[in-house]
Amino acid sequence: MDDVAPLFTRSDGEYVFARWGRPIVPVVFGVDDATLAVFKGAIEAVVSLAGHKMDETDAELGANLMMFFCQSWDELLEVPHLDKMLPELATLVGRLKQADANQYRIFRFDDAGAVQAAFVFLRMDDQMAQAPADALALSQAVQVILLWSDTAFSEMPPLAMINDQVTLRPEIADVIRAAYDPVMPVSAHDPSHALRIGARLS
């Protein structure tokens, strides 16, 4: 990969990078046990790739990676206590309905700028319903392991078909590994950070 910067340069031109600063504790709502196992397996695989850690519980939040599946965005308004964690929930639901969106992610950060928590919302429209569970799970796991640009995967998705199997694109896997190098910062706003990642790509 010649240029890492576009992966973390937002549509407004600002360079923003962040990785998780604590073990990831996932919980998935609105799916059956089989789908839950697929998602947790995908998250474990991406966390392992990054050289990061998972845990059974987060001392502050209980779970810090929360994934919600729904048929309509209005269902989120009925999730107990979700509006307390996300005071902007009602406004967000209105925006998602207006945009006819089928997915959305919210990140929370600690004082060092590292990812502290993430909320993933997936509305199972026709497009989502047709995606294989393993591909959907891997895609979402990749998109929460780092704070990517809002345009990072608009032209090229993070996954590819290799030997008839859905897998993470090797160059994206390399970026994830490099971003979690222990000597790299947990957050960055200077584009020179992308050069440091680029220097670590295999």
Side-chain angles (χ1 to χ4, degrees), residues 18-111:
R19 72 186 193 198
W20 286 80
R22 60 179 64 194
I24 296 175
V25 183
V27 62
V28 186
F29 300 95
V31 297
D32 58 26
D33 289 344
T35 305
L36 174 63
V38 171
F39 267 78
K40 289 204 168 181
I43 294 167
E44 288 174 0
V46 173
V47 169
S48 177
L49 166 73
H52 194 53
K53 297 178 181 178
M54 295 179 66
D55 209 340
E56 293 296 322
T57 185
D58 181 276
E60 190 175 346
L61 301 168
N64 55 30
L65 171 55
M66 305 180 196
M67 294 186 168
F68 298 86
F69 283 76
C70 60
Q71 298 295 325
S72 75
W73 290 126
D74 285 327
E75 293 175 26
L76 297 180
L77 300 174
E78 300 170 6
V79 177
H81 311 302
L82 185 57
D83 58 338
K84 291 182 173 60
M85 290 186 284
L86 298 172
E88 70 275 30
L89 182 63
T91 302
L92 173 63
V93 166
R95 283 177 25 223
L96 293 175
K97 289 167 64 176
Q98 187 172 12
D100 195 31
N102 61 12
Q103 58 182 296
Y104 193 76
R105 282 168 291 279
I106 297 174
F107 290 86
R108 294 283 188 261
F109 307 94
D110 62 21
D111 292 342

Coordinates of all heavy atoms in Angstrom, one line a residue, residues 18-111:
A18 N -7.3 6.5 15.7 CA -7.4 6.0 17.1 C -7.5 4.5 17.1 O -8.1 3.9 16.2 CB -8.6 6.6 17.9
R19 N -6.9 3.9 18.1 CA -7.0 2.4 18.2 C -7.5 2.2 19.7 O -7.5 3.1 20.5 CB -5.7 1.7 18.0 CG -4.6 1.9 19.1 CD -3.3 1.3 18.7 NE -2.4 1.3 19.9 CZ -1.1 1.1 19.8 NH1 -0.5 1.0 18.7 NH2 -0.4 1.1 20.9
W20 N -7.9 1.0 20.0 CA -8.4 0.6 21.3 C -7.2 0.7 22.3 O -6.1 0.2 22.0 CB -9.0 -0.8 21.3 CG -10.3 -0.9 20.6 CD1 -10.6 -0.9 19.3 CD2 -11.6 -0.8 21.3 NE1 -11.9 -1.0 19.1 CE2 -12.6 -0.9 20.3 CE3 -12.0 -0.8 22.6 CZ2 -13.9 -0.9 20.5 CZ3 -13.4 -0.8 22.9 CH2 -14.3 -0.9 21.9
G21 N -7.5 1.3 23.5 CA -6.6 1.4 24.5 C -6.8 0.4 25.7 O -6.1 0.4 26.6
R22 N -7.8 -0.4 25.6 CA -8.2 -1.4 26.6 C -8.7 -2.6 26.0 O -9.0 -2.6 24.8 CB -9.3 -0.8 27.5 CG -10.6 -0.4 26.7 CD -11.7 0.1 27.6 NE -11.3 1.4 28.2 CZ -11.9 1.9 29.3 NH1 -13.0 1.4 29.8 NH2 -11.5 3.1 29.8
P23 N -8.7 -3.8 26.7 CA -9.2 -5.0 26.1 C -10.7 -4.8 25.6 O -11.4 -4.1 26.2 CB -9.1 -6.0 27.3 CG -8.1 -5.5 28.1 CD -8.2 -4.0 28.1
I24 N -11.0 -5.5 24.5 CA -12.3 -5.4 24.0 C -13.3 -6.4 24.6 O -12.9 -7.6 24.7 CB -12.2 -5.5 22.4 CG1 -11.4 -4.4 21.8 CG2 -13.6 -5.6 21.8 CD1 -11.2 -4.5 20.3
V25 N -14.4 -5.9 25.0 CA -15.4 -6.8 25.6 C -16.7 -6.7 24.8 O -17.5 -5.7 24.9 CB -15.7 -6.5 27.1 CG1 -16.7 -7.4 27.7 CG2 -14.4 -6.4 27.9
P26 N -16.9 -7.6 23.8 CA -18.1 -7.4 22.9 C -19.4 -8.0 23.5 O -19.4 -9.0 24.2 CB -17.6 -8.2 21.7 CG -16.8 -9.3 22.2 CD -16.1 -8.7 23.4
V27 N -20.5 -7.5 23.0 CA -21.8 -8.0 23.3 C -22.7 -7.7 22.0 O -22.5 -6.6 21.5 CB -22.4 -7.5 24.6 CG1 -22.7 -6.0 24.5 CG2 -23.8 -8.2 24.9
V28 N -23.4 -8.7 21.6 CA -24.2 -8.6 20.4 C -25.7 -8.8 20.7 O -26.1 -9.8 21.3 CB -23.8 -9.6 19.3 CG1 -24.5 -9.3 18.0 CG2 -22.3 -9.5 19.1
F29 N -26.5 -7.9 20.3 CA -28.0 -7.9 20.6 C -28.8 -8.1 19.3 O -28.4 -7.6 18.3 CB -28.5 -6.6 21.2 CG -27.8 -6.3 22.5 CD1 -26.7 -5.4 22.6 CD2 -28.3 -6.8 23.7 CE1 -26.1 -5.1 23.8 CE2 -27.7 -6.5 25.0 CZ -26.6 -5.6 25.0
G30 N -29.8 -9.0 19.4 CA -30.7 -9.1 18.3 C -30.4 -10.2 17.3 O -30.9 -10.2 16.2
V31 N -29.5 -11.2 17.7 CA -29.2 -12.3 16.8 C -29.4 -13.6 17.5 O -29.4 -13.6 18.7 CB -27.8 -12.1 16.2 CG1 -27.6 -10.9 15.4 CG2 -26.8 -12.2 17.4
D32 N -29.5 -14.7 16.7 CA -29.6 -16.0 17.3 C -28.2 -16.5 17.8 O -27.1 -15.8 17.5 CB -30.2 -17.0 16.4 CG -29.5 -17.1 15.1 OD1 -28.3 -16.9 15.0 OD2 -30.2 -17.5 14.1
D33 N -28.1 -17.6 18.5 CA -26.9 -18.1 19.0 C -25.8 -18.4 18.0 O -24.6 -18.1 18.1 CB -27.1 -19.3 19.9 CG -27.8 -19.0 21.2 OD1 -27.9 -17.8 21.5 OD2 -28.4 -19.9 21.8
A34 N -26.3 -18.9 16.8 CA -25.4 -19.3 15.8 C -24.7 -18.0 15.2 O -23.5 -18.0 15.0 CB -26.1 -20.0 14.7
T35 N -25.5 -17.0 15.0 CA -24.9 -15.7 14.4 C -24.0 -15.1 15.4 O -23.0 -14.5 15.1 CB -26.1 -14.8 14.0 OG1 -26.9 -15.5 13.1 CG2 -25.5 -13.5 13.4
L36 N -24.4 -15.1 16.7 CA -23.6 -14.6 17.8 C -22.2 -15.2 17.8 O -21.2 -14.5 17.9 CB -24.3 -14.8 19.1 CG -23.5 -14.4 20.4 CD1 -23.3 -12.9 20.4 CD2 -24.3 -14.8 21.7
A37 N -22.2 -16.5 17.6 CA -20.9 -17.2 17.6 C -20.0 -16.8 16.4 O -18.8 -16.6 16.6 CB -21.1 -18.7 17.5
V38 N -20.6 -16.5 15.3 CA -19.9 -16.1 14.1 C -19.3 -14.7 14.3 O -18.2 -14.4 14.0 CB -20.9 -16.0 12.9 CG1 -20.2 -15.4 11.7 CG2 -21.3 -17.5 12.5
F39 N -20.1 -13.8 15.0 CA -19.6 -12.5 15.2 C -18.5 -12.4 16.2 O -17.5 -11.8 16.1 CB -20.8 -11.6 15.6 CG -21.4 -10.8 14.5 CD1 -22.3 -11.5 13.6 CD2 -21.1 -9.5 14.2 CE1 -22.8 -10.8 12.5 CE2 -21.6 -8.8 13.1 CZ -22.5 -9.5 12.3
K40 N -18.7 -13.2 17.3 CA -17.6 -13.2 18.3 C -16.3 -13.8 17.8 O -15.2 -13.4 18.1 CB -18.1 -14.0 19.6 CG -19.2 -13.2 20.3 CD -19.2 -13.6 21.8 CE -20.1 -12.5 22.6 NZ -20.1 -12.9 24.0
G41 N -16.5 -14.8 16.9 CA -15.3 -15.4 16.3 C -14.6 -14.5 15.4 O -13.4 -14.4 15.4
A42 N -15.4 -13.7 14.6 CA -14.7 -12.7 13.8 C -14.0 -11.6 14.6 O -12.9 -11.2 14.2 CB -15.8 -12.0 12.9
I43 N -14.6 -11.2 15.6 CA -14.0 -10.1 16.5 C -12.7 -10.7 17.1 O -11.7 -10.0 17.1 CB -15.0 -9.7 17.6 CG1 -16.2 -8.9 17.0 CG2 -14.3 -8.8 18.6 CD1 -17.3 -8.7 17.9
E44 N -12.8 -11.9 17.6 CA -11.6 -12.6 18.2 C -10.4 -12.6 17.1 O -9.3 -12.4 17.4 CB -11.9 -13.9 18.7 CG -12.7 -13.9 20.0 CD -13.2 -15.3 20.4 OE1 -12.8 -16.3 19.7 OE2 -13.9 -15.5 21.4
A45 N -10.8 -13.0 15.9 CA -9.8 -13.1 14.8 C -9.1 -11.8 14.5 O -7.9 -11.7 14.4 CB -10.5 -13.7 13.6
V46 N -9.9 -10.7 14.4 CA -9.3 -9.4 14.1 C -8.5 -8.9 15.3 O -7.5 -8.3 15.1 CB -10.5 -8.4 13.7 CG1 -9.9 -7.0 13.5 CG2 -11.1 -8.9 12.4
V47 N -9.0 -9.1 16.5 CA -8.3 -8.7 17.7 C -6.9 -9.4 17.8 O -5.9 -8.8 18.1 CB -9.1 -8.9 19.0 CG1 -8.3 -8.7 20.2 CG2 -10.3 -7.9 19.0
S48 N -6.9 -10.7 17.5 CA -5.7 -11.5 17.5 C -4.8 -11.0 16.4 O -3.5 -10.9 16.6 CB -6.1 -12.9 17.2 OG -4.9 -13.7 17.2
L49 N -5.3 -10.7 15.2 CA -4.5 -10.1 14.1 C -3.8 -8.8 14.6 O -2.6 -8.6 14.3 CB -5.4 -9.8 12.9 CG -4.8 -8.9 11.8 CD1 -3.7 -9.7 11.0 CD2 -5.9 -8.4 10.9
A50 N -4.5 -8.0 15.3 CA -3.9 -6.7 15.8 C -2.9 -6.9 16.9 O -2.2 -6.0 17.2 CB -5.1 -5.8 16.3
G51 N -2.9 -8.1 17.5 CA -2.1 -8.3 18.7 C -2.6 -7.6 19.9 O -1.9 -7.3 20.9
H52 N -4.0 -7.4 19.9 CA -4.6 -6.7 21.0 C -5.3 -7.8 21.9 O -5.0 -9.0 21.7 CB -5.7 -5.7 20.5 CG -6.2 -4.8 21.5 ND1 -5.4 -4.0 22.3 CD2 -7.5 -4.5 21.9 CE1 -6.1 -3.3 23.1 NE2 -7.4 -3.5 22.9
K53 N -6.1 -7.4 22.9 CA -6.6 -8.3 23.8 C -8.1 -8.2 23.9 O -8.7 -7.1 23.7 CB -6.0 -8.1 25.2 CG -4.5 -8.4 25.3 CD -4.0 -8.1 26.7 CE -2.5 -8.3 26.8 NZ -2.0 -8.0 28.2
M54 N -8.8 -9.3 24.3 CA -10.2 -9.3 24.7 C -10.3 -9.6 26.2 O -9.3 -10.1 26.8 CB -11.0 -10.3 23.8 CG -11.0 -9.9 22.4 SD -12.0 -11.1 21.4 CE -13.6 -10.8 22.0
D55 N -11.5 -9.4 26.7 CA -11.7 -9.7 28.2 C -13.1 -10.1 28.4 O -14.0 -9.9 27.5 CB -11.3 -8.5 29.0 CG -10.8 -8.9 30.4 OD1 -11.1 -10.1 30.8 OD2 -10.1 -8.1 31.1
E56 N -13.4 -10.6 29.6 CA -14.8 -11.0 29.9 C -15.6 -9.9 30.3 O -16.8 -9.9 30.1 CB -14.7 -12.1 31.0 CG -14.1 -13.4 30.6 CD -14.9 -14.1 29.6 OE1 -16.1 -14.1 29.6 OE2 -14.2 -14.7 28.7
T57 N -15.0 -8.8 30.9 CA -15.8 -7.7 31.3 C -14.9 -6.4 31.4 O -13.7 -6.5 31.6 CB -16.4 -7.9 32.7 OG1 -17.3 -6.8 33.1 CG2 -15.3 -8.1 33.8
D58 N -15.5 -5.3 31.2 CA -14.9 -4.0 31.3 C -15.3 -3.4 32.6 O -16.4 -3.3 32.9 CB -15.3 -3.1 30.1 CG -14.6 -1.7 30.2 OD1 -15.1 -0.8 30.9 OD2 -13.6 -1.6 29.5
A59 N -14.3 -3.1 33.4 CA -14.5 -2.6 34.8 C -15.4 -1.4 34.9 O -16.2 -1.2 35.8 CB -13.2 -2.3 35.5
E60 N -15.3 -0.6 33.8 CA -16.1 0.7 33.8 C -17.4 0.6 33.1 O -18.4 1.1 33.6 CB -15.3 1.8 33.0 CG -15.8 3.2 33.1 CD -14.9 4.2 32.5 OE1 -13.7 3.8 32.2 OE2 -15.3 5.3 32.3
L61 N -17.5 -0.2 32.1 CA -18.7 -0.3 31.2 C -19.4 -1.6 31.2 O -20.5 -1.8 30.7 CB -18.4 0.2 29.8 CG -17.8 1.6 29.7 CD1 -17.3 1.8 28.2 CD2 -18.8 2.6 30.0
G62 N -18.8 -2.7 31.7 CA -19.3 -4.0 31.6 C -18.9 -4.6 30.2 O -18.0 -5.4 30.1
A63 N -19.5 -4.1 29.2 CA -19.1 -4.4 27.8 C -18.8 -3.1 27.1 O -19.4 -2.0 27.4 CB -20.3 -5.1 27.0
N64 N -17.8 -3.1 26.3 CA -17.4 -1.8 25.6 C -17.5 -1.8 24.1 O -17.3 -0.8 23.5 CB -16.0 -1.4 26.0 CG -15.0 -2.5 25.8 OD1 -15.1 -3.3 24.8 ND2 -13.9 -2.5 26.6
L65 N -17.9 -3.0 23.5 CA -18.2 -3.0 22.1 C -19.6 -3.6 22.0 O -19.8 -4.8 22.2 CB -17.2 -3.9 21.3 CG -17.5 -4.2 19.9 CD1 -17.8 -3.0 19.1 CD2 -16.4 -5.1 19.2
M66 N -20.6 -2.8 21.7 CA -22.0 -3.2 21.7 C -22.5 -3.2 20.2 O -22.4 -2.1 19.6 CB -22.8 -2.3 22.6 CG -22.3 -2.3 24.0 SD -23.3 -1.2 25.1 CE -22.2 -1.0 26.5
M67 N -23.0 -4.3 19.8 CA -23.6 -4.4 18.4 C -25.1 -4.7 18.5 O -25.5 -5.6 19.2 CB -22.9 -5.5 17.6 CG -21.4 -5.2 17.3 SD -20.7 -6.5 16.2 CE -19.2 -5.8 15.8
F68 N -25.8 -3.9 17.8 CA -27.3 -4.0 17.8 C -27.8 -4.3 16.4 O -27.5 -3.5 15.5 CB -27.9 -2.7 18.3 CG -27.5 -2.3 19.8 CD1 -26.4 -1.6 20.0 CD2 -28.3 -2.7 20.8 CE1 -26.0 -1.2 21.3 CE2 -28.0 -2.3 22.1 CZ -26.8 -1.6 22.4
F69 N -28.6 -5.3 16.3 CA -29.2 -5.7 15.1 C -30.7 -5.3 15.2 O -31.3 -5.6 16.2 CB -29.1 -7.2 14.7 CG -27.8 -7.6 14.2 CD1 -26.7 -7.7 15.1 CD2 -27.6 -7.8 12.9 CE1 -25.4 -8.1 14.6 CE2 -26.4 -8.2 12.4 CZ -25.3 -8.3 13.2
C70 N -31.3 -4.7 14.1 CA -32.7 -4.4 14.2 C -33.3 -4.5 12.8 O -32.6 -4.5 11.8 CB -32.9 -3.0 14.8 SG -32.1 -1.7 13.8
Q71 N -34.6 -4.5 12.7 CA -35.3 -4.5 11.4 C -35.7 -3.1 11.0 O -35.8 -2.8 9.9 CB -36.6 -5.4 11.5 CG -36.4 -6.8 11.8 CD -35.6 -7.5 10.7 OE1 -35.8 -7.2 9.5 NE2 -34.8 -8.5 11.0
S72 N -35.9 -2.2 12.0 CA -36.1 -0.8 11.8 C -35.4 0.0 12.8 O -35.2 -0.4 14.0 CB -37.6 -0.5 11.8 OG -38.1 -0.5 13.1
W73 N -35.0 1.2 12.5 CA -34.3 2.1 13.4 C -35.1 2.4 14.7 O -34.5 2.6 15.7 CB -33.8 3.3 12.7 CG -32.7 3.1 11.7 CD1 -32.8 3.5 10.4 CD2 -31.4 2.5 11.9 NE1 -31.6 3.1 9.7 CE2 -30.8 2.5 10.6 CE3 -30.8 1.9 12.9 CZ2 -29.5 2.0 10.4 CZ3 -29.6 1.3 12.8 CH2 -28.9 1.4 11.5
D74 N -36.4 2.5 14.5 CA -37.2 2.8 15.7 C -37.0 1.8 16.8 O -37.3 2.2 18.0 CB -38.7 2.9 15.3 CG -39.0 4.1 14.5 OD1 -38.3 5.2 14.8 OD2 -39.9 4.1 13.6
E75 N -36.6 0.6 16.5 CA -36.4 -0.4 17.6 C -35.4 0.0 18.6 O -35.4 -0.4 19.7 CB -36.0 -1.8 16.9 CG -37.1 -2.4 16.1 CD -36.7 -3.7 15.4 OE1 -35.7 -4.3 15.9 OE2 -37.2 -4.0 14.3
L76 N -34.4 0.8 18.1 CA -33.4 1.2 19.1 C -33.9 2.1 20.2 O -33.4 2.1 21.3 CB -32.3 2.0 18.3 CG -31.5 1.3 17.2 CD1 -30.5 2.2 16.5 CD2 -30.8 0.1 17.8
L77 N -35.0 2.8 19.9 CA -35.6 3.7 20.9 C -36.2 2.8 22.1 O -36.5 3.4 23.2 CB -36.7 4.6 20.3 CG -36.1 5.5 19.2 CD1 -37.3 6.2 18.6 CD2 -35.1 6.5 19.8
E78 N -36.4 1.5 21.8 CA -37.1 0.7 22.8 C -36.0 -0.1 23.6 O -36.4 -0.9 24.5 CB -38.0 -0.3 22.1 CG -39.2 0.5 21.3 CD -40.0 -0.5 20.5 OE1 -39.7 -1.7 20.5 OE2 -40.8 0.0 19.7
V79 N -34.8 0.0 23.3 CA -33.7 -0.8 24.0 C -33.5 -0.1 25.4 O -33.2 1.1 25.5 CB -32.4 -0.8 23.2 CG1 -31.3 -1.5 24.0 CG2 -32.6 -1.4 21.9
P80 N -33.7 -0.9 26.5 CA -33.6 -0.3 27.8 C -32.2 0.3 28.0 O -31.2 -0.2 27.7 CB -33.8 -1.5 28.7 CG -34.6 -2.5 27.9 CD -34.1 -2.3 26.5
H81 N -32.3 1.5 28.6 CA -31.1 2.3 29.0 C -30.1 2.7 27.9 O -29.1 3.4 28.2 CB -30.3 1.4 30.0 CG -31.1 0.9 31.1 ND1 -31.8 1.7 32.0 CD2 -31.3 -0.4 31.5 CE1 -32.5 0.9 32.8 NE2 -32.1 -0.4 32.6
L82 N -30.5 2.4 26.6 CA -29.6 2.8 25.5 C -29.5 4.4 25.4 O -28.5 4.9 25.1 CB -30.0 2.2 24.2 CG -29.1 2.5 23.0 CD1 -27.7 2.0 23.3 CD2 -29.7 1.8 21.8
D83 N -30.7 5.0 25.7 CA -30.7 6.5 25.6 C -29.9 7.1 26.7 O -29.4 8.3 26.6 CB -32.1 7.0 25.7 CG -32.9 6.5 26.9 OD1 -32.4 5.5 27.6 OD2 -33.8 7.2 27.3
K84 N -29.6 6.4 27.8 CA -28.7 6.9 28.9 C -27.3 6.8 28.4 O -26.5 7.7 28.8 CB -29.0 6.2 30.2 CG -30.3 6.4 30.8 CD -30.5 5.7 32.1 CE -31.7 6.1 32.8 NZ -33.0 5.8 32.0
M85 N -26.9 5.8 27.7 CA -25.5 5.7 27.2 C -25.3 6.6 26.0 O -24.2 7.1 25.8 CB -25.2 4.2 26.8 CG -25.1 3.3 27.9 SD -24.6 1.6 27.4 CE -26.1 1.0 26.7
L86 N -26.4 6.8 25.2 CA -26.3 7.7 24.0 C -27.4 8.7 24.1 O -28.5 8.5 23.6 CB -26.5 6.8 22.8 CG -25.4 5.8 22.5 CD1 -25.8 4.9 21.3 CD2 -24.1 6.4 22.3
P87 N -27.2 9.8 24.8 CA -28.2 10.9 25.0 C -28.8 11.4 23.6 O -29.9 11.9 23.6 CB -27.5 12.0 25.7 CG -26.4 11.3 26.4 CD -26.0 10.2 25.5
E88 N -27.9 11.3 22.6 CA -28.3 11.8 21.2 C -29.1 10.7 20.4 O -29.4 10.9 19.2 CB -27.1 12.2 20.5 CG -26.2 11.0 20.0 CD -25.2 10.5 21.0 OE1 -25.4 10.6 22.2 OE2 -24.1 10.1 20.5
L89 N -29.6 9.7 21.1 CA -30.2 8.5 20.4 C -31.4 8.9 19.5 O -31.5 8.5 18.4 CB -30.6 7.4 21.4 CG -31.2 6.2 20.8 CD1 -30.2 5.5 19.9 CD2 -31.7 5.2 21.9
A90 N -32.3 9.7 20.1 CA -33.5 10.0 19.3 C -33.2 10.8 18.1 O -33.7 10.6 17.0 CB -34.5 10.9 20.2
T91 N -32.3 11.8 18.2 CA -31.8 12.6 17.0 C -31.1 11.7 16.0 O -31.4 11.8 14.8 CB -30.9 13.7 17.5 OG1 -31.5 14.5 18.4 CG2 -30.5 14.5 16.3
L92 N -30.3 10.7 16.5 CA -29.6 9.8 15.6 C -30.6 8.9 14.8 O -30.4 8.8 13.6 CB -28.6 9.0 16.4 CG -27.9 7.8 15.7 CD1 -27.0 8.4 14.6 CD2 -27.1 7.0 16.6
V93 N -31.5 8.4 15.5 CA -32.5 7.5 14.8 C -33.2 8.3 13.7 O -33.4 7.8 12.6 CB -33.5 7.0 15.8 CG1 -34.7 6.4 15.1 CG2 -32.9 5.9 16.7
G94 N -33.6 9.5 14.0 CA -34.2 10.4 13.0 C -33.3 10.5 11.7 O -33.8 10.5 10.6
R95 N -32.0 10.8 12.0 CA -31.0 11.0 10.9 C -30.8 9.7 10.1 O -30.8 9.7 8.9 CB -29.7 11.5 11.5 CG -29.7 12.9 11.8 CD -28.4 13.4 12.5 NE -27.2 12.6 12.1 CZ -26.3 12.3 13.0 NH1 -26.4 12.6 14.3 NH2 -25.2 11.6 12.6
L96 N -30.8 8.6 10.8 CA -30.6 7.3 10.1 C -31.8 6.9 9.2 O -31.6 6.4 8.1 CB -30.3 6.2 11.1 CG -29.0 6.3 11.9 CD1 -29.0 5.2 13.0 CD2 -27.8 6.2 11.0
K97 N -33.0 7.2 9.7 CA -34.2 7.0 8.9 C -34.2 7.9 7.7 O -34.6 7.4 6.6 CB -35.5 7.2 9.8 CG -35.6 6.1 10.9 CD -36.7 6.5 11.9 CE -38.1 6.7 11.3 NZ -39.1 7.0 12.4
Q98 N -33.9 9.1 7.9 CA -33.9 10.1 6.8 C -32.9 9.7 5.7 O -33.2 9.8 4.5 CB -33.6 11.5 7.3 CG -33.8 12.6 6.2 CD -33.7 14.0 6.8 OE1 -33.3 14.1 8.0 NE2 -34.1 15.0 6.1
A99 N -31.8 9.2 6.1 CA -30.7 8.8 5.2 C -30.9 7.4 4.6 O -30.2 7.0 3.7 CB -29.3 8.8 5.9
D100 N -31.9 6.7 5.1 CA -32.2 5.3 4.7 C -30.9 4.4 4.9 O -30.6 3.6 4.1 CB -32.7 5.2 3.3 CG -33.3 3.8 3.0 OD1 -33.8 3.2 3.9 OD2 -33.2 3.4 1.8
A101 N -30.2 4.7 6.0 CA -28.9 4.0 6.3 C -29.2 2.6 6.8 O -30.3 2.3 7.3 CB -28.1 4.8 7.3
N102 N -28.2 1.7 6.6 CA -28.4 0.3 7.1 C -27.3 0.0 8.1 O -27.3 -1.1 8.6 CB -28.4 -0.7 6.0 CG -27.1 -0.7 5.1 OD1 -26.1 -0.1 5.5 ND2 -27.2 -1.4 4.0
Q103 N -26.4 0.9 8.4 CA -25.4 0.7 9.4 C -24.8 2.0 9.9 O -24.8 3.0 9.2 CB -24.2 -0.2 8.9 CG -23.5 0.3 7.7 CD -22.4 -0.6 7.3 OE1 -21.5 -0.9 8.0 NE2 -22.6 -1.2 6.1
Y104 N -24.4 2.0 11.2 CA -23.8 3.2 11.7 C -22.9 2.8 12.9 O -23.2 1.9 13.6 CB -24.9 4.2 12.2 CG -24.4 5.6 12.6 CD1 -24.1 6.5 11.6 CD2 -24.2 6.0 13.9 CE1 -23.7 7.8 11.9 CE2 -23.8 7.2 14.2 CZ -23.5 8.1 13.2 OH -23.0 9.4 13.5
R105 N -21.8 3.5 13.1 CA -20.9 3.3 14.2 C -20.6 4.5 15.0 O -20.5 5.6 14.4 CB -19.6 2.7 13.7 CG -19.7 1.2 13.3 CD -18.4 0.8 12.6 NE -18.4 1.4 11.2 CZ -19.1 0.9 10.2 NH1 -19.9 -0.2 10.4 NH2 -19.0 1.5 9.0
I106 N -20.6 4.4 16.3 CA -20.3 5.5 17.2 C -19.1 5.1 18.1 O -19.1 4.0 18.7 CB -21.5 5.9 18.1 CG1 -22.6 6.4 17.3 CG2 -21.1 7.0 19.1 CD1 -23.9 6.7 18.1
F107 N -18.1 5.9 18.2 CA -16.9 5.7 19.1 C -16.9 6.6 20.2 O -17.3 7.8 20.1 CB -15.6 5.8 18.3 CG -15.5 4.7 17.2 CD1 -16.0 4.8 16.0 CD2 -14.7 3.5 17.5 CE1 -15.8 3.8 15.0 CE2 -14.5 2.6 16.6 CZ -15.1 2.7 15.3
R108 N -16.4 6.1 21.4 CA -16.2 7.0 22.5 C -14.7 6.8 22.8 O -14.1 5.8 22.6 CB -17.0 6.5 23.7 CG -18.5 6.7 23.6 CD -18.8 8.2 23.7 NE -20.3 8.4 23.8 CZ -21.0 8.8 22.7 NH1 -20.4 9.0 21.5 NH2 -22.3 9.0 22.8
F109 N -14.1 7.9 23.4 CA -12.6 7.9 23.6 C -12.2 8.3 25.0 O -13.0 9.0 25.7 CB -12.0 8.9 22.6 CG -12.4 8.7 21.2 CD1 -13.5 9.4 20.6 CD2 -11.7 7.8 20.4 CE1 -13.9 9.2 19.3 CE2 -12.1 7.6 19.1 CZ -13.2 8.2 18.5
D110 N -11.1 7.8 25.4 CA -10.6 8.1 26.8 C -9.7 9.4 26.7 O -9.6 10.0 25.7 CB -9.8 7.0 27.4 CG -8.6 6.6 26.6 OD1 -8.1 7.4 25.8 OD2 -8.1 5.4 26.8
D111 N -9.2 9.8 27.8 CA -8.4 11.0 27.9 C -7.2 11.0 27.0 O -6.7 12.1 26.6 CB -8.0 11.3 29.3 CG -9.1 11.6 30.2 OD1 -10.2 12.0 29.7 OD2 -9.0 11.5 31.5

